[in-house]
């Protein structure tokens, strides 16, 4: 009988092998920095929230060496600059980007102030951009990240649909506008997913976890509607980060 077997019979468990702590870099735009979820500390205009899903992930994984680089307003070019800070020791990188490139702010402005047709037209322009121009920009970003962190797992994180259609909101945007905006998000999601797959990355689709918690849904809202400060409108709340973003990320990372 081996010594190991004797120890097991005596109930003297040998120490488990230590799991190497993650070296995690969180890149991206306002949906990763946590705009809308408050508690921004000293992050200035980047608005990196203590309630954002990257910070929640780091908090829940003891020993994580965490670098929070996501910043409000970031486009693909900005994320390329963020990627310069990644080290070859990285084992996990998350990124959300593309919405600002496709004109997220202008879409919401046009849909808020214009007619139904103005909104549909602007969303269609954004869809064209997402389909024809954004893929190349995303590929450049993903390739840059992979070159900086060849041994890291790259996870691309998507965006939620904003609205429940039809929903419980009696005022605000028409259902035609809400449907158009959701449709634009669906097109962007398809592009993000396809480009992530092509880059060998994992895509995390958060639309399901936000379903029933979108603006105008009957359940607890995970998204701010039109609010002040204005830049926090249409961004996840504290609950949106914790219940909408974190669970699908945790589902693929453990």
């Amino acid at each position: 009988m081996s010594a190991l077997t004797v120890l097991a019979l005596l109930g003297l468990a040998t120490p488990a092998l230590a799991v190497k702590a993650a070296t995690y870099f969180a890149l991206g735009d306002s949906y990763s920095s946590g705009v809308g979820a408050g508690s921004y500390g000293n992050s200035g205009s980047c608005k990196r929230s203590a309630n954002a899903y990257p910070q929640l992930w780091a908090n829940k994984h003891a020993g994580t060496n965490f670098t929070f680089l996501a910043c409000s307003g970031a486009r693909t070019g900005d994320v390329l600059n963020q990627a310069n800070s990644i080290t070859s020791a990285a084992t996990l990188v998350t990124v959300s980007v593309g919405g600002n490139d496709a004109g997220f702010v202008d879409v919401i402005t046009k849909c808020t102030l214009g007619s139904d047709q103005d909104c549909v037209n602007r969303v269609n322009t954004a869809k064209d951009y997402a389909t024809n121009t954004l893929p190349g920009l995303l590929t450049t970003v993903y390739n840059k990240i992979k070159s900086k962190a060849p041994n890291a797992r790259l996870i691309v994180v998507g965006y939620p649909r904003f609205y429940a259609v039809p929903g419980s909101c009696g005022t605000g945007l028409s259902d035609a506008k809400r449907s158009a905006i959701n449709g634009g998000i669906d097109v962007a999601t398809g592009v993000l997913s396809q480009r992530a797959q092509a880059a060998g990355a994992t895509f995390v689709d958060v639309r399901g976890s936000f379903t029933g918690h979108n603006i105008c849904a009957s359940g607890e809202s995970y998204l701010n509607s039109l609010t002040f400060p204005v830049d926090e409108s249409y961004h996840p709340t504290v609950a949106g980060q914790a219940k909408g973003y974190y669970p699908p990320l945790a589902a693929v990372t453990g």
Side-chain angles (χ1 to χ4, degrees):
M1 184 180 295
S2 71
L4 185 60
T5 302
V6 171
L7 287 173
L9 290 173
L10 292 174
L12 302 175
T14 56
L17 292 176
V19 176
K20 186 176 180 180
T23 298
Y24 174 24
F25 290 81
L27 281 61
D29 54 23
S30 54
Y31 286 78
S32 287
S33 72
V35 170
S39 298
Y40 304 120
N42 298 317
S43 60
S45 61
C46 281
K47 289 193 169 183
R48 297 185 185 110
S49 173
N51 300 311
Y53 74 83
Q55 186 65 63
L56 297 180
W57 196 96
N59 293 348
K60 291 178 181 291
H61 292 77
T64 296
N65 181 7
F66 178 49
T67 304
F68 202 176
L69 298 167
C71 188
S72 177
R75 298 169 62 123
T76 49
D78 301 305
V79 175
L80 287 173
N81 290 330
Q82 293 173 15
N84 288 329
S85 297
I86 298 174
T87 69
S88 59
T91 58
L92 174 66
V93 180
T94 60
V95 60
S96 67
V97 71
N100 291 318
D101 293 79
F104 161 73
V105 173
D106 192 53
V107 167
I108 294 300
T109 300
K110 182 69 71 175
C111 288
T112 300
L113 302 177
S115 66
D116 284 0
Q117 193 58 53
D118 290 336
C119 178
V120 170
N121 291 344
R122 183 61 185 87
V123 170
N124 285 339
T125 298
K127 287 180 179 179
D128 288 341
Y129 183 95
T131 301
N132 298 309
T133 303
L134 187 59
L137 299 175
L138 294 174
T139 295
T140 299
V141 168
Y142 302 158
N143 286 346
K144 173 70 173 288
I145 294 171
K146 291 177 74 67
S147 71
K148 294 289 290 185
N151 299 314
R153 184 175 185 188
L154 173 58
I155 297 180
V156 175
V157 184
Y159 301 101
R161 293 190 185 99
F162 291 164
Y163 289 103
V165 184
S168 59
C169 295
T171 60
L173 303 187
S174 66
D175 279 352
K177 290 179 178 181
R178 293 167 182 162
S179 294
I181 292 169
N182 283 353
I185 292 167
D186 287 342
V187 168
T189 297
V191 172
L192 290 168
S193 177
Q194 196 277 330
R195 287 294 85 203
Q197 181 179 5
T202 299
F203 179 67
V204 172
D205 188 348
V206 300
R207 291 175 299 175
S209 56
F210 276 84
T211 298
H213 303 282
N214 323 78
I215 300 168
C216 298
S218 57
E220 176 190 14
S221 181
Y222 288 175
L223 290 160
N224 292 299
S225 187
L226 186 61
T227 188
F228 294 95
V230 175
D231 66 337
E232 299 194 359
S233 302
Y234 302 101
H235 283 79
T237 61
V238 172
Q241 290 287 341
K243 301 177 184 179
Y245 266 97
Y246 181 77
L249 174 61
V252 300
T253 60

